[in-house]
Amino acid sequence: MKIWVDADACPVVIKEILFKAAQRTKTNMTLVANHAIKIPSSNVINFMQVSHGFDVADNEIVARLSNGDLVITSDIPLADEAIEKGATCLSPRGELYTKANIKSRLNMRDFMDTLRSSGVDTGGPPALSQSDRMAFANQLDKILTQHTQQS
């Protein structure tokens, strides 16, 4: 299993959790973004900078991931494509996207996008809370533990 991080919008505190987990479990991780991101010196943590443009980082992740990889993203269409390729997807808030829930999440995202484009102010997501960070860390640990036990 390899971890792929949609790093453009990934909160710094979540990246820090990921850095520690990748190091601790010796799991290869690649952060993909269209701007430079500082990463710790590590033989398991890599950074891939892609060109600017709509969905360039997402497309790169989908092209490179393998069945069984883990994708960290809050991008619902990316999660949908990654799940189709056999990946596990986790949001920075600790929500596990699955075949059972991704289509309804995609429908809700499209609905909210339609509201916004018609001029309705839907607001943004709330700030990342301590409970969100804990939910993410707990889900990540569960996924990495399951992978380690299967290896």
Side-chain angles (χ1 to χ4, degrees):
M1 177 178 76
K2 185 170 186 169
I3 301 172
W4 295 93
V5 182
D6 181 10
D8 283 321
C10 187
V12 172
V13 67
I14 298 303
K15 289 178 199 157
E16 294 297 327
I17 292 169
L18 286 163
F19 294 152
K20 290 176 186 170
Q23 287 288 87
R24 185 183 77 244
T25 62
K26 304 287 187 247
T27 303
N28 286 319
M29 178 171 75
T30 301
L31 291 90
V32 182
N34 61 24
H35 63 280
I37 292 178
K38 186 177 179 181
I39 63 169
S41 178
S42 168
N43 60 347
V44 296
I45 301 171
N46 302 291
F47 170 67
M48 178 187 301
Q49 187 167 355
V50 296
S51 61
H52 288 271
F54 186 69
D55 288 343
V56 175
D58 299 356
N59 294 339
E60 193 67 36
I61 291 170
V62 170
R64 292 177 178 262
L65 71 83
S66 298
N67 183 31
D69 284 353
L70 172 62
V71 176
I72 309 299
T73 187
S74 56
D75 185 300
I76 304 295
L78 170 56
D80 184 41
E81 286 186 74
I83 289 168
E84 287 297 318
K85 283 192 73 175
T88 298
C89 293
L90 182 62
S91 84
R93 294 182 184 275
E95 180 181 8
L96 191 61
Y97 299 123
T98 65
K99 284 184 178 185
N101 70 17
I102 195 63
K103 295 303 182 194
S104 64
R105 298 277 185 237
L106 196 55
N107 288 337
M108 181 56 77
R109 176 215 173 260
D110 292 344
F111 173 70
M112 297 301 281
D113 195 41
T114 301
L115 284 178
R116 282 188 291 276
S117 67
S118 68
V120 176
D121 181 9
T122 59
L128 199 66
S129 69
Q130 183 62 35
S131 63
D132 291 331
R133 291 177 221 163
M134 285 183 54
F136 177 81
N138 289 339
Q139 279 285 13
L140 179 64
D141 189 54
K142 184 188 296 183
I143 292 165
L144 293 174
T145 300
Q146 286 172 350
H147 172 71
T148 303
Q149 291 173 348
Q150 291 172 356
S151 297

